[in-house]
Amino acid sequence: MPKIFLHLGFPKTGSTYTQAFLSKNRDILESRGLRYPKIVDRRGKETLGHSTAFFAAFTEDPVTHAALARQGRNSLEDKEHFIDQLSQSIDFDGDLIFSGEGIPSLSKDALKDVKEFLRRTKKRIIPICLVRDPYEYTVSHIQQSVKRERPLLVSRRSVVGHHKKLSRTFGEVRVLSYNAIRQQENDVALELLKHIGASHSGLSQPNSGSRNESLSDNATRIMGHINTVFPKSPETTAGANVRSVNDIRELRYIKGGGKFLLTNGEYDAIADDISAEVEYLTATLGESFEGKPPDTRAVPAPWSDEDIQYILDSFSTLGWPGVIGAYSYFSFYRNISDTWIEVLRGEVEKKAAKGRRTGQEIPAIQPNEKMIDGLRKGAEQTASRFLSDREIVEHIQGVNALTGRS
C-alpha cells in the first residue's frame, strides 16, 4: 500500500534543513516514487515546508490567525488556494512526504480534518517526529526566539502535549531521537529517508544558509536584553519602540562566551518540567533516548575586550535600539569594568549629540510592567541581584537621560 509520511518536526531538530534537502532533491525523489510536494502561495512563491499550507487550509479561522496574518496568507481566498494546492499534490500514485514542524500545533479538530483529507488517497498515513533532549531544545529555542527579536525568556515548550495529541489523532506515531542521529554524526535528512525506506544515493546537499546558526552566549544575552527594553511585536503602537531587524543584526556575530548555556538560576526555574519530559521521552523511546545532565554555568560568560570593542565599532551600523540597548545591558548587569562602561557611555552621548544636531528621532525606553518583570528576573537568575521596581525604573530613566530624553 502506498504511504503518506508526515514529518512533523518537532522544532529544533533540523526541520528547516530537512525541508531544504527534500526541496533541492524533489525531482530525483519523485522519479524514484517519493513525492515531496511543491506548494506555492497565491503570488506564486514556494513555501519551503508545508506548515503554512496546512494551517491556511485547516485552521478554524485563518483570517484571525496571527502567523498567517504576518505572512499575508490569512484570507479565505488563501484558504481555498492552499486546499487546492494540497489536493493537487496528493494526486500521485507513489508515496508522499509532507514536512511541517508547525502542523502539530493545529487544534485536535483541525488535525482530524487533516487525517480525513489525506485518507481520501487510500494511502497509509505514517506520522514521524524527531525529538531532542529537552534541555538542548530549550537552549536552542531561546536562541531562535532572540533572533526573532523576542526577549530572553527562560521557559519550557514541551513536545509532550503535541505527541499525545498526534497519537490520539493518528494512532501510532514514529519517534526518532535527534540526539542519537547527531551523536553518530549522521545527516538528519538522510536518516529520515533511510527510516522510510527511500533511496538516498546521488542526492545533493542544500546550501549552508538552510541551517540555523547558533548564537554565542554573549550575543544571545545582549540581544535578548535589547529585545526586552526595545520590544518589537505586532501589538507595538506605531511610532513607539518600533524596530527594524537591522537595528541589532551586527550583534549576532559576537563570538565571545562560547555556546549559549543557561545559568544555574535560570535552569532551576524549569528543572522540574525538564525532568518530567525526560521521564516521558524515556518511556516513549526506550533505549534510543538518552537524557543527559544539563550543561549550565554558574554565571553568564565573561566579556572580552575584543567583543566590547566590536560593539563600539558597530555603533555606526547599529540602529538606535542597538546602541542604547547595548549601553543599557552593560550598565544594568555591570558585567564589564567601570572603565569600559564609561567609554560606552561617552560614545552613546557623542552619537546622541550628533543625532540631535541632524534632527534624528532618538527613541526612549518606555518601561511597562512586563519589561520591568523581565529585567528583574534576568538580574535574579543570572547575577543573583535582587532589584526593586524603583531601581529598575531609575536605570531606565538614567539611560533615557543619556540620550537627551527624559
Side-chain angles (χ1 to χ4, degrees):
M1 175 188 291
K3 305 174 185 68
I4 297 179
F5 299 101
L6 296 178
H7 169 233
L8 303 172
F10 290 124
K12 313 311 299 177
T13 58
S15 297
T16 301
Y17 166 75
T18 298
Q19 290 156 8
F21 185 97
L22 295 172
S23 179
K24 186 175 181 65
N25 295 284
R26 177 181 282 116
D27 292 342
I28 297 176
L29 291 170
E30 184 155 337
S31 70
R32 297 173 180 175
L34 177 66
R35 170 179 283 184
Y36 179 66
K38 181 177 181 178
I39 303 293
V40 299
D41 64 16
R42 288 196 299 143
R43 294 176 290 278
K45 182 178 180 180
E46 180 181 354
T47 62
L48 183 63
H50 300 118
S51 293
T52 295
F54 277 94
F55 260 101
F58 294 102
T59 196
E60 285 82 354
D61 186 6
V63 175
T64 60
H65 191 276
L68 292 174
R70 285 194 296 272
Q71 298 174 32
R73 294 165 169 162
N74 63 323
S75 70
L76 294 179
E77 289 81 3
D78 289 308
K79 182 182 181 75
E80 293 302 319
H81 171 82
F82 281 115
I83 290 174
D84 183 60
Q85 286 276 295
L86 291 170
S87 297
Q88 293 180 45
S89 72
I90 62 177
D91 184 15
F92 183 65
D93 290 336
D95 294 336
L96 294 158
I97 180 167
F98 290 99
S99 177
E101 66 272 34
I103 295 173
S105 298
L106 284 166
S107 69
K108 291 183 290 185
D109 289 339
L111 282 174
K112 289 178 182 177
D113 290 341
V114 170
K115 179 181 177 180
E116 291 306 311
F117 172 79
L118 296 177
R119 285 178 65 180
R120 298 187 327 202
T121 64
K122 307 299 183 183
K123 301 178 190 288
R124 181 184 173 195
I125 303 170
I126 303 177
I128 304 173
C129 301
L130 281 80
V131 296
R132 189 171 185 172
D133 174 81
Y135 174 73
E136 285 189 6
Y137 167 53
T138 298
V139 168
S140 183
H141 173 71
I142 289 172
Q143 292 178 71
Q144 188 70 12
S145 294
V146 168
K147 284 192 283 187
R148 291 176 176 172
E149 303 172 79
R150 297 167 185 157
L152 196 167
L153 298 175
V154 180
S155 60
R156 277 294 301 133
R157 276 200 166 187
S158 173
V159 300
V160 171
H162 285 335
H163 181 262
K164 290 181 177 179
K165 182 169 58 173
L166 291 170
S167 297
R168 286 193 293 266
T169 302
F170 294 100
E172 180 187 0
V173 177
R174 296 185 185 180
V175 182
L176 307 180
S177 171
Y178 174 81
N179 292 87
I181 294 171
R182 299 306 297 159
Q183 284 168 7
Q184 298 169 16
E185 299 184 355
N186 292 338
D187 184 283
V188 175
L190 289 179
E191 286 299 309
L192 177 64
L193 290 176
K194 288 180 187 177
H195 179 78
I196 66 177
S199 172
H200 54 274
S201 62
L203 302 180
S204 304
Q205 295 287 330
N207 63 60
S208 58
S210 57
R211 295 180 185 268
N212 286 319
E213 297 297 327
S214 297
L215 299 176
S216 69
D217 195 84
N218 288 342
T220 303
R221 294 189 181 281
I222 192 169
M223 290 172 65
H225 178 86
I226 295 171
N227 293 341
T228 299
V229 297
F230 282 103
K232 181 180 181 183
S233 69
E235 294 77 30
T236 300
T237 320
N241 289 1
V242 174
R243 271 199 26 214
S244 161
V245 66
N246 294 320
D247 285 337
I248 64 173
R249 183 180 293 278
E250 291 300 315
L251 300 181
R252 289 187 177 203
Y253 309 114
I254 297 170
K255 299 302 181 186
K259 66 180 182 179
F260 171 66
L261 298 172
L262 298 186
T263 64
N264 295 339
E266 289 169 330
Y267 178 73
D268 287 344
I270 59 171
D272 290 344
D273 293 335
I274 293 282
S275 296
E277 186 158 353
V278 167
E279 183 178 347
Y280 178 87
L281 293 175
T282 301
T284 302
L285 290 174
E287 294 181 358
S288 64
F289 177 78
E290 182 181 353
K292 47 188 180 178
D295 188 8
T296 60
R297 305 178 189 272
V299 295
W303 283 79
S304 67
D305 290 349
E306 290 77 12
D307 280 331
I308 303 170
Q309 188 61 54
Y310 172 82
I311 291 174
L312 285 166
D313 294 341
S314 299
F315 270 16
S316 60
T317 55
L318 292 173
W320 275 114
V323 172
I324 299 169
Y327 173 75
S328 169
Y329 172 74
F330 290 116
S331 61
F332 183 78
Y333 286 101
R334 311 299 297 186
N335 50 0
I336 58 176
S337 69
D338 289 344
T339 301
W340 269 122
I341 289 177
E342 286 305 308
V343 171
L344 284 163
R345 178 187 179 92
E347 290 301 311
V348 174
E349 287 179 321
K350 285 195 293 185
K351 186 175 176 70
K354 181 179 179 180
R356 288 192 295 272
R357 288 196 302 272
T358 57
Q360 293 181 20
E361 178 67 24
I362 303 174
I365 302 174
Q366 301 170 353
N368 56 47
E369 185 176 338
K370 184 176 180 180
M371 182 189 304
I372 292 170
D373 185 57
L375 292 175
R376 185 193 306 108
K377 287 181 179 177
E380 291 176 358
Q381 293 176 348
T382 63
S384 298
R385 291 175 63 210
F386 300 94
L387 301 176
S388 66
D389 289 4
R390 180 179 180 82
E391 289 173 308
I392 294 172
V393 170
E394 286 176 349
H395 162 78
I396 294 171
Q397 290 173 338
V399 174
N400 288 341
L402 186 64
T403 57
R405 299 286 297 269
S406 58

